[in-house]
Amino acid sequence: MEHARPDTIYAYLPWIVAAVIGGGLVLAQAGRSLYIRRLPAIDAIEEAVGRATEMGRPILFVPGLAGVDVPTFQAVAIAGRVARLAAAYRTRLLMPVSNSVIFTMAEQVLREAYASAGGSELFRPEDIRFLSEDQFAFASGVIGLMNRERIATAFFFGNFAAEALILAETGQSLGAIQIAGTPSTLQIPFFIAACDFTVIGEEYYAVTAYLTREPILVGSVWGQDLSRITLAGLIFLMSANMWWLPEWIKSFFSFW
Amino acid sequence: MWGRWGVYLLVALAITLPMVLPVRIRMVPTPPVRSFFRMVEQIPKGKALMIAADFDTGTEGENGPQVEAVLEHAMSRKIPILIMGTAIQGPELVQSYAEDLAKKYDYRYGRDFVNLGYLPGGQPVLEKLGRSIWQTKPTDYQGKPLSQLPMMRRVRTAKDIALVAEFTGAGVLPWYIQTFWAQFRVPLAQGCTGIIGPEQFPYLDSGQLSGLMTGLTGAAQYEHLIKAPKRAYRRMIPQNFAHITVIVLIVLANIRLFAERARRLRGR
Amino acid sequence: MLPAVSETTQKYLIYWLGAICTLAIYTILYRENRLYRLFEHFYIGLAVGFGLYINFKEVIYDVWWKAMMTESSGSIFAFDTPPHLPGIVLERDDKKEGKGCWKWDVGQAAEIRLREIVKEWGTPNYLKLWAKADRPVSGGRLTLIGTVAVPENGQRGTFSISFPMETDRWRLIRLELRAFDIRGSPFRPFEKIGKRNQLGEVTDLRLRANEALVQADATIFLDDLNHNIGYRWWWVFSGLFGLMFYTLFIPRLAWMSRLAMAIPLGLGSGYTFKAFVLELGPQIDASLKPLYGDIPLLRIVNNAIFLIVLLSVMTYFFFSIEHRHSAIRSPAQFGRWMLMVTFGIVFGNTVMGRFSLFISRADFLIREMQVPWDLPEWSRLLIVGHLLAAFLVLAYLSVLYERRKATVGGTEA
Amino acid sequence: MFQPVQDRWRNVFLCVVAFVAGVGALALLQSLPPAHRRRLTGIVTFVVGLYFPLEFFYPRHNFLTPWRDSVSEVLRVLAAFAFGLGAVNLFLIHGRHVARRTPNLIFSLAFFAGFFLMAGAGLMNDFAKGFLAAEPKVGQLGFWEASYRILFQGALLPLTSTVFSLLAFFIASAAYRAFRARTLEALLLMVTSFLVMLANVPYGLTVTSFLPDEGIWRWGRIENLVQWMMTQINAPAMRAILFGVWVGAVGAALRIWLSLERTFVSGP
C-alpha cells in the first residue's frame, strides 16, 4: 500500500481524529473551560519542591533524552512550572539536557519562570547543562551530577529509554524524592519501582495541560480524549455487532 | 549502602561463577518462536531473507545469539541472505557471524550472502530500499559495487525478499512495519531484547509481525528448534542462576516485610 | 612515519583497553569517584567524536557532497569480464578504466548484446561511454538500443540513440537521455513529469555498428558505460539550511535556526498522518474481534478478555470525565490493575535483558581475554577479579582524597 | 531551472552564486520585524508539512510521488548537520574549563582527548589512509585503520556496553527493594514479574513441569500461563497505550503543523 486506499476507513481516520482535536483547540481558544480531572501528581510536585527546600539541597529536573519533539517541549513546560516554584522557595534547580535546541529553549523558559516568580537574581545559566547527545554518555553524566550535587529531589519528565532505571536508582540511593512522568511505556515499571510518584503514559500530557492551563494544551488533551473515547466506542460497537454486519461494512473496516 | 553492595556482589557472583562451572539445561520453545522458525522454514526457493541488524554491541548479548541461530537455519536451507542494518555496528557484527558459519555451509560472500552495511536515515530510507535496493545503496559494506555481487542480480526490490528478520534492542520496528509490511507486503519477524518484547505483542496479534524471539531465552529456544545449541544456550546458564538469585532476593525481602509486619502487630 | 600495527598487537590492545574501560566504569557501583569521572568524560568525548565522524562520512559526504559535487554516476556495464561473444576479446592494456576493455571486431559481428547489465538506472540524465576505433573511419556510427519494461504495470518500450564513431583516440561519449528515440511508453506512472527520465527497468542492451564501420572492418574499443544525473548545485541550499541551525548560538540570528527546524518538523508532522494509517490501521482492524458466531468457545472467551482489557485500559486514560460514577470508575480501576500486570511483565522480561548485558560483558572479560598463555577459565576470572579490586582501591582512595579536600577547601563546583 | 549541470566548474560557480544569494536572502529577512519572521516560519512549516499527506492520501501515483526520495535525503542531510550542535555546546563548556583551569580541567582534557582521537582516527582512516603512515604488510593494518579499530572496538564499544550493563545491578537492587507486597497494585506487579522471570529460565519452569501439558492442567504450567498473559493481557494493554500514543501523536503533529506549540514557537 504505497498510497491510502479510499475504500477503507483508515484513509479517513487520522483526519477524523485531527478534526476532533482541532475542535478541542478551537473551543479552548474561544475561552470555553474544558474539564480535565485533577491528577494526584500535581500535589506531589509541589510537595517535592518543598522537601528540597527543607533539606537545603538542589532539585534536579531531567527532560529525558530530549529531541525536538512534543514530549520534550512539554517537559520543558513542566520545568518552567517547577522553576517557578523553586524560585519562590529560593531553591536551586539543576537541569541537564541532551539536545542543543532544547538547551536554548530550556534556558529561555527557565529565565522567564524565575523572572515571573520574582527571583531573576537566582537564575544561574550554568545550572542548565548540556551533557551529551549520546544516550549513555548523557546518563553517566547525569548520575555524576546527581552524586556531586547530592540532590534532594529529582524530576524525570520526557522521553526515556534504558537510562531511566540508571537515573532513578541513583536518585533512590541518594535518598532523593523522585517524581517521574514519561510517555515511554517500557520505562514506566522502573519509575514505579524506584520513584515516589509516577505519571503513567497518557497522563503525562494531561499533567502538562493541567499545570500550565494553557488553552492550546487543554484543548488538545480534551480533543485527544474525545478521539480515544470515539475509538473505544467504535471498537466496542463493531466487535459486538460483528456477527450480523453486512460484508461491505466489514470490508470498509478491514485494512487490506 | 551495604545492602546495596551486597546485592551487587551477589549478582556479580551469580553470573560469573556459573560461567566457569559445567551445568546443563533444557529449553521449551514458545509459540512466537515456533512461528518465527516456521516463517524461515517456508521461504520459497529463489527468494531472499533480509536480516536487519539494528543493534550495536550494547545489546549484542541478546541479539547476537538470535541472529546466529537464524543465520544457521537459513544457511542450512540454502537461502540467499541479505544483511543490512540501521545501527552502525550491527551489520559488521552479523558479517562476522555469517563468515564463521559460511565455512560450515559452503556459503560464499557475493554469491550466497551480501552485506549492505549501515543505512542511516530511518524510515524514509527503508521505504526507498524497498522500492530499489540498488539505488538506495549502490555499494556493499566495503564499498564494492553491487554489480560485482552475483546474488544482487536476483535481489533488487522488496519483491525479491520473502521475509525480513529484524533484530533490535530499540523501538525501530515501526519503520519496517510502515515500509516493508504495509507498503510492500513483506512479512516481518523480529528478534528483540527482553525489555521491548512485551511491546511487540500487539503487532503479533495484528499479524504485522509473523514471529517473535524475545531475549536470550528466545535465542536459546530457536537453537533448540534447529537442534544446534551454541552461544545462547551457553549464556542461558549464568542467566538461569542470576534469575534464581533475584527471585530468592525478592522472596527474602517479602519474608522480611511480613515478619516486620507480624512483629508490629504482636507489639500492638 | 607512523608504524603499521600487526593484528595480534591490535587484538591485545583492543582487549586490554576494553577491560580497563569496563572495570573503571564498574567502580561507580562502589561510589562516584575520580577514576569513573575521568572515563566518563573520555567516553562523552569519544561518543561525540564518533557521532560527528559517522555523520560526516555517511551523510554529509556520501549524500550531500556527492549529490552536489559529483555527477552521481552508476555503472551500467564495465567491459571488464571476458565477453564469450564472437568477434570480441578482452583487452587488458589499452584501456581507460577498471581491469580491461573490450576489443570488438565489427567485421565478425555487426551487433553485440551486453549481458548482465545493471537494470536499474535510477533517474539519469545522460549516459557516458568510453570508446575509440582502431583507425579513423569517416561516417562511422554506433547505435545503442535498449529494451525497457516497467515492472509495476508490464509496459514495454524501446529506446535507441546513434552517435558518431570516427576517431582513433579514446573519447568519452555523452548520450543525452533527452535525445533518445523512445518508442512505447516505458515510464513509471507520473514519474516522467518534466524530464521524463524515470525509465522502468532496462532489460536488454545492444550496440550496433553501421555500414561504414562494417565495410572498413574496423575494431572498436569500448570501456565503462555509466549512467549519470549530473552536478546538482541546488543542494547547496540544504547545506545552507543546515548551517542555519548554528545561528542558535547567536541570539540576534537565533530565529534562523527555527526557520531551518521548520523543515524537519513540518515534514515530520505531515508524515505522522501517513504513519497513523500504515501502523495503526492494522491494529484497529485486529481489535475488531468477533464475539459470536462460528468460532470455538475458547476463542470467544479469549476475544472477550482481550476486548475487556483493551477497553478498560483505554477508560483509565479518559481525563475529561470525572471518575466518580462507578460505570467509569470500576473499568478504570480494572484498567489500572491490568496496566500493573503489563508493567510486571515488562519488568520480568527486562531482568532477563539486563542480565544478558552483564553476561556479555563478563563473557568479554573472561572468555575473550588476550593473554599469551592458555589459561583455564577460573584463573582468568581471578585475574579480572584482582584487576577490579585494584580499581576499587583506586576509587576508594580518590573518594578519601575528595573528602579531605572538601573539609579543607570547600566543594568543587 | 533546476536542471543538473554537466560541467564541473559551471556547477561550482552556480553553487557559489546560490550560496551568496541564499545568504543575501537571509540578510534581507533579518531586517523583517520578529513577528513577520515568526509568521514566515509558520508558513514554511505548514507548506512543507503538506507534502506527505498530499502525496500519500491521493490514492494513486501523483506528481509529488517522484520527490519521495529527494525529500528523505534532505531530511537526512539536515539531521546530519544538526548533529554538530551538541559538539559545539560541549566545546564551549569544556573549553571554558580548560581556559580557566578549573578543578575540572583534567576531566575536560579527557573529553577533548576522546573527541579528537576518535574523530581524527575515523576521518583519517576514511579519507587519508596513507598520510604519514607506513604501508602495512600482510597480517598488519595501517596505522590509521588500526587506531580507528582500537578506539572503536577497544574503547567506545566497551564503554557503551558497560554503562548499559550497569543496569543488571540496578535492576536487581530495584527488584529487591520495590517488590514488596505493600498494596494490591504492588502485589500485581510483583506476582506477574515473578511468573515471567520463572518462565524465562529453564530452572524456573521446573516448578510446574510435573503438570501434564494437555487438558485443563496445561494452564497450570508457568510457560503456558505466561504466554497467555502475554497475548491476552499484555497485548491489549499495550495496544490501548499505543492508541493513546498515536492519537497523541496526531494532536502533537497538528499543533506543530499549525505552529500552535507555544514553548517552541515563542522561542528566540
Side-chain angles (χ1 to χ4, degrees), chain B residues 248-259:
Chain B
V248 169
L249 277 177
I250 294 176
V251 171
L252 283 181
N254 276 285
I255 291 175
R256 222 173 77 184
L257 180 77
F258 281 109

PDB file of all heavy atoms in Angstrom, chain B residues 248-259:
ATOM      1  N   VAL B 248      15.117 -15.343  44.699  1.00  0.00           N
ATOM      2  CA  VAL B 248      15.345 -15.602  46.122  1.00  0.00           C
ATOM      3  C   VAL B 248      15.397 -14.289  46.900  1.00  0.00           C
ATOM      4  O   VAL B 248      14.818 -14.158  47.980  1.00  0.00           O
ATOM      5  CB  VAL B 248      16.643 -16.419  46.313  1.00  0.00           C
ATOM      6  CG1 VAL B 248      17.035 -16.464  47.777  1.00  0.00           C
ATOM      7  CG2 VAL B 248      16.464 -17.812  45.754  1.00  0.00           C
ATOM      8  N   LEU B 249      16.052 -13.278  46.307  1.00  0.00           N
ATOM      9  CA  LEU B 249      16.132 -11.972  46.971  1.00  0.00           C
ATOM     10  C   LEU B 249      14.744 -11.399  47.207  1.00  0.00           C
ATOM     11  O   LEU B 249      14.448 -10.890  48.298  1.00  0.00           O
ATOM     12  CB  LEU B 249      16.939 -11.004  46.111  1.00  0.00           C
ATOM     13  CG  LEU B 249      18.450 -11.081  46.233  1.00  0.00           C
ATOM     14  CD1 LEU B 249      19.106 -10.115  45.258  1.00  0.00           C
ATOM     15  CD2 LEU B 249      18.869 -10.741  47.654  1.00  0.00           C
ATOM     16  N   ILE B 250      13.899 -11.470  46.183  1.00  0.00           N
ATOM     17  CA  ILE B 250      12.557 -10.902  46.333  1.00  0.00           C
ATOM     18  C   ILE B 250      11.796 -11.646  47.427  1.00  0.00           C
ATOM     19  O   ILE B 250      11.145 -11.029  48.275  1.00  0.00           O
ATOM     20  CB  ILE B 250      11.787 -10.970  44.994  1.00  0.00           C
ATOM     21  CG1 ILE B 250      12.461 -10.071  43.971  1.00  0.00           C
ATOM     22  CG2 ILE B 250      10.345 -10.548  45.182  1.00  0.00           C
ATOM     23  CD1 ILE B 250      11.844 -10.135  42.606  1.00  0.00           C
ATOM     24  N   VAL B 251      11.914 -12.970  47.405  1.00  0.00           N
ATOM     25  CA  VAL B 251      11.215 -13.745  48.427  1.00  0.00           C
ATOM     26  C   VAL B 251      11.708 -13.348  49.814  1.00  0.00           C
ATOM     27  O   VAL B 251      10.907 -13.094  50.727  1.00  0.00           O
ATOM     28  CB  VAL B 251      11.415 -15.258  48.173  1.00  0.00           C
ATOM     29  CG1 VAL B 251      10.879 -16.056  49.338  1.00  0.00           C
ATOM     30  CG2 VAL B 251      10.727 -15.669  46.889  1.00  0.00           C
ATOM     31  N   LEU B 252      13.015 -13.215  49.960  1.00  0.00           N
ATOM     32  CA  LEU B 252      13.581 -12.828  51.257  1.00  0.00           C
ATOM     33  C   LEU B 252      13.059 -11.470  51.692  1.00  0.00           C
ATOM     34  O   LEU B 252      12.663 -11.268  52.845  1.00  0.00           O
ATOM     35  CB  LEU B 252      15.105 -12.788  51.169  1.00  0.00           C
ATOM     36  CG  LEU B 252      15.809 -14.143  51.188  1.00  0.00           C
ATOM     37  CD1 LEU B 252      17.311 -13.949  51.125  1.00  0.00           C
ATOM     38  CD2 LEU B 252      15.435 -14.891  52.464  1.00  0.00           C
ATOM     39  N   ALA B 253      13.046 -10.521  50.731  1.00  0.00           N
ATOM     40  CA  ALA B 253      12.589  -9.174  51.075  1.00  0.00           C
ATOM     41  C   ALA B 253      11.157  -9.218  51.576  1.00  0.00           C
ATOM     42  O   ALA B 253      10.803  -8.532  52.532  1.00  0.00           O
ATOM     43  CB  ALA B 253      12.696  -8.269  49.848  1.00  0.00           C
ATOM     44  N   ASN B 254      10.335 -10.070  50.921  1.00  0.00           N
ATOM     45  CA  ASN B 254       8.934 -10.133  51.334  1.00  0.00           C
ATOM     46  C   ASN B 254       8.771 -10.833  52.676  1.00  0.00           C
ATOM     47  O   ASN B 254       7.940 -10.440  53.485  1.00  0.00           O
ATOM     48  CB  ASN B 254       8.100 -10.807  50.255  1.00  0.00           C
ATOM     49  CG  ASN B 254       7.710  -9.810  49.198  1.00  0.00           C
ATOM     50  OD1 ASN B 254       6.839  -8.987  49.423  1.00  0.00           O
ATOM     51  ND2 ASN B 254       8.404  -9.838  48.089  1.00  0.00           N
ATOM     52  N   ILE B 255       9.591 -11.866  52.889  1.00  0.00           N
ATOM     53  CA  ILE B 255       9.523 -12.524  54.204  1.00  0.00           C
ATOM     54  C   ILE B 255       9.860 -11.517  55.288  1.00  0.00           C
ATOM     55  O   ILE B 255       9.196 -11.421  56.318  1.00  0.00           O
ATOM     56  CB  ILE B 255      10.483 -13.724  54.240  1.00  0.00           C
ATOM     57  CG1 ILE B 255       9.945 -14.821  53.319  1.00  0.00           C
ATOM     58  CG2 ILE B 255      10.638 -14.248  55.656  1.00  0.00           C
ATOM     59  CD1 ILE B 255      10.865 -16.001  53.185  1.00  0.00           C
ATOM     60  N   ARG B 256      10.894 -10.695  55.004  1.00  0.00           N
ATOM     61  CA  ARG B 256      11.285  -9.703  55.994  1.00  0.00           C
ATOM     62  C   ARG B 256      10.144  -8.730  56.249  1.00  0.00           C
ATOM     63  O   ARG B 256       9.845  -8.356  57.381  1.00  0.00           O
ATOM     64  CB  ARG B 256      12.521  -8.950  55.499  1.00  0.00           C
ATOM     65  CG  ARG B 256      13.527  -8.748  56.623  1.00  0.00           C
ATOM     66  CD  ARG B 256      14.806  -8.161  56.098  1.00  0.00           C
ATOM     67  NE  ARG B 256      14.652  -6.739  55.845  1.00  0.00           N
ATOM     68  CZ  ARG B 256      15.614  -5.992  55.311  1.00  0.00           C
ATOM     69  NH1 ARG B 256      16.769  -6.541  54.970  1.00  0.00           N
ATOM     70  NH2 ARG B 256      15.448  -4.722  55.123  1.00  0.00           N
ATOM     71  N   LEU B 257       9.507  -8.323  55.127  1.00  0.00           N
ATOM     72  CA  LEU B 257       8.393  -7.376  55.251  1.00  0.00           C
ATOM     73  C   LEU B 257       7.295  -7.951  56.134  1.00  0.00           C
ATOM     74  O   LEU B 257       6.791  -7.295  57.043  1.00  0.00           O
ATOM     75  CB  LEU B 257       7.844  -7.061  53.861  1.00  0.00           C
ATOM     76  CG  LEU B 257       6.677  -6.077  53.794  1.00  0.00           C
ATOM     77  CD1 LEU B 257       7.171  -4.662  53.967  1.00  0.00           C
ATOM     78  CD2 LEU B 257       5.930  -6.221  52.488  1.00  0.00           C
ATOM     79  N   PHE B 258       6.946  -9.231  55.861  1.00  0.00           N
ATOM     80  CA  PHE B 258       5.858  -9.831  56.627  1.00  0.00           C
ATOM     81  C   PHE B 258       6.259 -10.064  58.080  1.00  0.00           C
ATOM     82  O   PHE B 258       5.451  -9.879  58.982  1.00  0.00           O
ATOM     83  CB  PHE B 258       5.398 -11.127  55.960  1.00  0.00           C
ATOM     84  CG  PHE B 258       4.511 -10.871  54.793  1.00  0.00           C
ATOM     85  CD1 PHE B 258       4.939 -11.098  53.504  1.00  0.00           C
ATOM     86  CD2 PHE B 258       3.233 -10.346  54.996  1.00  0.00           C
ATOM     87  CE1 PHE B 258       4.111 -10.818  52.430  1.00  0.00           C
ATOM     88  CE2 PHE B 258       2.408 -10.067  53.915  1.00  0.00           C
ATOM     89  CZ  PHE B 258       2.852 -10.307  52.633  1.00  0.00           C
ATOM     90  N   ALA B 259       7.509 -10.431  58.258  1.00  0.00           N
ATOM     91  CA  ALA B 259       7.984 -10.642  59.626  1.00  0.00           C
ATOM     92  C   ALA B 259       7.883  -9.348  60.422  1.00  0.00           C
ATOM     93  O   ALA B 259       7.395  -9.322  61.556  1.00  0.00           O
ATOM     94  CB  ALA B 259       9.421 -11.142  59.592  1.00  0.00           C
TER      95      ALA B 259
END
